[in-house]
Amino acid sequence: TVQTETGHPQNVTMLEKMSPKLWLAVGGQTFECTSGDVLGREGTLACQAFSSIPTVSSKHVSVELRQGQWHLVNLLLLAGRQGKNITQLDGRDIPVGASAPLVGEHVLKMSSQCEVRLRVAGT
């Protein structure tokens, strides 16, 4: 509680820390990600950029904001699918079903024909 110029007490609320933003750069375009976005030919973000790349899964990876930190999740295979193309973050394989934290800038390889960039800002 603080005193105003009129001498009346006023409650002051501390502002919550802003969550970092995650940006996806693909095909000369930049997109702002929201938690739960799916990248792939039938994803929720930039699917038009992936639609012509058959080596990218229909729902390849998702991005999630967990307790103020972004994570990349390599999604499970869709029913009836036998295999999945590579998923590498900065040259490291991300196993199916696993996640990796995102801080700063990253290169995401979703197949031999698809490489995009992810950038976390505001951390």
Side-chain angles (χ1 to χ4, degrees):
T1 305
V2 296
Q3 294 261 336
T4 63
E5 290 179 8
T6 60
H8 298 288
Q10 180 179 358
N11 288 332
V12 176
T13 303
M14 296 298 290
L15 295 176
E16 290 184 26
K17 182 181 175 186
M18 296 286 291
S19 293
K21 293 189 181 287
L22 179 63
W23 300 95
L24 167 69
V26 56
Q29 296 179 292
T30 303
F31 302 89
E32 183 177 354
C33 301
T34 58
S35 187
D37 274 339
V38 174
L39 307 182
R41 293 188 332 272
E42 298 174 12
T44 60
L45 182 68
C47 59
Q48 67 279 10
F50 301 115
S51 64
S52 64
I53 308 171
T55 55
V56 172
S57 298
S58 57
K59 295 180 179 176
H60 203 98
V61 298
S62 69
V63 291
E64 297 177 4
L65 186 60
R66 302 176 187 164
Q67 299 177 334
Q69 169 140 36
W70 284 100
H71 292 263
L72 177 80
V73 180
N74 191 3
L75 295 174
L76 299 173
L77 295 171
L78 296 176
R81 294 294 307 256
Q82 296 300 315
K84 184 174 182 178
N85 286 307
I86 61 172
T87 303
Q88 292 181 340
L89 187 65
D90 301 325
R92 292 187 326 269
D93 287 331
I94 306 296
V96 173
S99 68
L102 299 171
V103 178
E105 295 191 22
H106 301 276
V107 175
L108 171 62
K109 190 170 186 177
M110 295 167 59
S111 78
S112 61
Q113 301 174 14
C114 181
E115 191 173 278
V116 300
R117 299 198 180 280
L118 295 167
R119 181 175 54 88
V120 178
T123 55

